[in-house]
């Protein structure tokens, strides 16, 4: 009779084992990784705005980066899969095979698109940009054909480090990446490099440096040995073959294809607005700035996946709200205060047309970091429960709302950049609603 309360007591200890401080300690280096990854975009925008032909270069590089990220999108969730599958040897090996096959295949497609007739068809006919904007973006496009492969390689080893509780190494690699971005852009501005060439060298060099470093950290810190020693204690069966991993990963990949496919179509809509040339320069500048801040919340998902069973619900809620509101303060400051306007002018090289068109976009999207924190929380809970297809459904809804709202505003003669901002806001809110109701489903 004295033994019956013991399981209950142990269960309570497991449920509330992780403190808020422990969650934040795990989250901060992971967040630093994502912030460093996306901080490159606003820094690059600031640099390109100080070089020759700023508007055309920003627009061309923005479209090229949109194509690159769309081709990268099927392997973005490799990080999440590596975190989930990394603790099981056969699953980990199968995922590595999958990562190499998909990464190389996507880079092959990218290389094919560098052929000038295909490149011109893509930018001039599909995206509808002007020939001058397409010409400005071509150099960066040529330099980035290995982008999907390097991203896949990097995210696989980042996931293993997270699973082995070596998240600090991910943060150090991101610091090195950010250092490269700052140094290369500073040198490029001082020497007045061609903007597209500078962008291509900066972006490709950054992801390559980070991939090499996370691989080195993984070997140096013995992450794989740690994972092998942890054993396999989860109850649900994980895929252990290439075919099994492919089936497991498909809903995650299709989710990202929908997200970034919609954003690529968004660029095409923006190009067709009445202020298309200006909007194509403004949107990547303003959106990149807000997203670099909001992406600081994305690793909430990894913390939720790894710590949900060991943490009380109250602690998780406090953690999500603290992170979300902290990051939301930054775009509010930039969009609604005089000091924020001063910083925005400095960021955009005191270009009056860019500043005037960018500020309303930042104001519209000022609550985006909090919304992204909620989205990633709900996604993490669904991944933890193996309900990946509901994430896919929510993404379809979000993409639909984004494009419908944006397209409707553009075709009623609203500005392309602000139309895109309202579309993104409508999309993420609709996605959160769908994810919330999916979590209620038994």
């Amino acid at each position: 009779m004295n033994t019956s309360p013991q399981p209950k007591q142990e269960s309570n200890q497991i449920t509330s084992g992780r403190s808020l401080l422990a969650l934040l300690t795990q989250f901060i280096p992971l967040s630093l990784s994502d912030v460093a990854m996306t901080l490159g975009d606003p820094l690059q925008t600031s640099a390109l705005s100080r070089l020759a032909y700023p508007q055309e270069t920003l627009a061309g590089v923005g479209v090229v980066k949109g194509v690159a990220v769309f081709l990268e999108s099927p392997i973005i969730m490799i990080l999440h899969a590596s975190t989930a599958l990394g603790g099981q040897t056969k699953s980990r090996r199968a995922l590595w095979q999958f990562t190499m096959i998909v990464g190389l295949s996507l880079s092959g497609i990218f290389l094919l698109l560098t052929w000038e007739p295909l490149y011109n068809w893509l930018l001039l006919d599909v995206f509808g940009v002007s020939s001058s904007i397409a010409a400005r973006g071509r150099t960066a496009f040529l330099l980035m054909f290995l982008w999907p492969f390097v991203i896949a390689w990097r995210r696989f080893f980042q996931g293993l480090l997270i699973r082995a509780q070596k998240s600090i190494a991910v943060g150090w690699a991101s610091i090195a990446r950010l250092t490269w971005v700052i140094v290369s852009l500073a040198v490029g501005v001082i020497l007045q490099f061609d903007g597209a060439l500078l962008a291509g060298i900066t972006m490709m060099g950054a992801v390559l440096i980070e991939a090499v470093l996370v691989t080195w950290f993984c070997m140096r810190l013995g992450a794989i040995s740690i994972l092998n020693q942890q054993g396999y204690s989860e109850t649900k069966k994980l895929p252990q073959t290439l075919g099994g991993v492919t089936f497991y990963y498909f809903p995650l990949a299709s989710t990202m294809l929908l997200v970034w496919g919609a954003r690529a179509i968004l660029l095409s809509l923006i190009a067709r607005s009445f202020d298309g040339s200006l909007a194509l320069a403004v949107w990547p500048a303003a959106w990149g700035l807000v997203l670099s801040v909001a992406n600081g919340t994305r690793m909430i998902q990894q913390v939720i996946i790894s710590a949900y069973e060991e943490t009380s619900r109250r602690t998780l809620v406090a953690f999500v709200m603290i992170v979300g509101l902290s990051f939301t303060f930054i775009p509010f400051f930039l969009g609604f205060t005089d000091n924020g306007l001063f910083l925005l002018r400095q960021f955009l090289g005191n270009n009056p047309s860019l500043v005037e068109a960018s500020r309303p976009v930042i104001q519209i999207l000022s609550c985006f970091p909090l919304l992204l924190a909620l989205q990633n929380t709900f996604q993490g809970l669904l991944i933890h429960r193996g309900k990946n297809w509901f994430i896919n459904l929510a993404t379809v809804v979000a993409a639909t709302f984004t494009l419908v709202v944006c397209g409707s505003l553009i075709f009623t003669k609203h500005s392309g950049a602000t139309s895109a901002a309202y579309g993104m806001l409508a999309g993420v809110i609709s996605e959160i609603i769908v994810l919330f109701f999916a979590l209620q489903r038994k």
Side-chain angles (χ1 to χ4, degrees), residues 397-398 401-402 405 421-431:
V397 173
F401 269 86
T402 296
V405 170
Y422 281 119
M424 292 301 300
L425 209 58
V428 73
I429 291 172
S430 64
E431 184 175 6

Side-chain angles (χ1 to χ4, degrees), residues 181-298:
V181 169
I182 293 170
V183 171
S184 61
L185 290 176
V187 170
V189 170
I190 291 170
L191 299 180
Q192 288 294 290
F193 278 15
D194 173 74
L197 175 63
L198 177 60
I201 292 172
T202 300
M203 289 188 287
M204 207 55 231
V207 295
L208 187 59
I209 287 169
E210 192 173 16
V212 170
L213 283 176
V214 293
T215 305
W216 182 79
F217 275 127
C218 201
M219 305 305 173
R220 179 75 174 177
L221 299 175
I224 293 176
S225 298
I226 292 171
L227 294 174
N228 290 337
Q229 291 170 7
Q230 284 179 352
Y232 181 56
S233 59
E234 298 183 13
T235 56
K236 58 186 179 183
K237 184 174 176 59
L238 298 177
Q240 299 183 10
T241 64
L242 181 60
V245 167
T246 302
F247 182 78
Y248 170 88
Y249 189 79
F250 181 77
L252 301 177
S254 57
T255 297
M256 290 296 102
L257 270 171
L258 287 167
V259 169
W260 292 103
R263 292 183 186 179
I265 296 172
L266 196 67
L267 288 173
S268 179
L269 291 173
I270 292 171
R272 289 168 169 82
S273 63
F274 76 88
D275 60 345
S277 295
L278 176 61
L280 277 175
V282 168
W283 176 246
W287 169 245
L289 180 59
V290 173
L291 191 62
S292 68
V293 176
N295 272 352
T297 69
R298 284 200 314 174

Side-chain angles (χ1 to χ4, degrees), residues 159-167 222-224 226-227 230:
L160 296 186
L161 287 168
I162 294 169
R163 180 78 186 203
Q165 298 184 21
K166 299 293 181 181
S167 302
I224 293 176
I226 292 171
L227 294 174
Q230 284 179 352

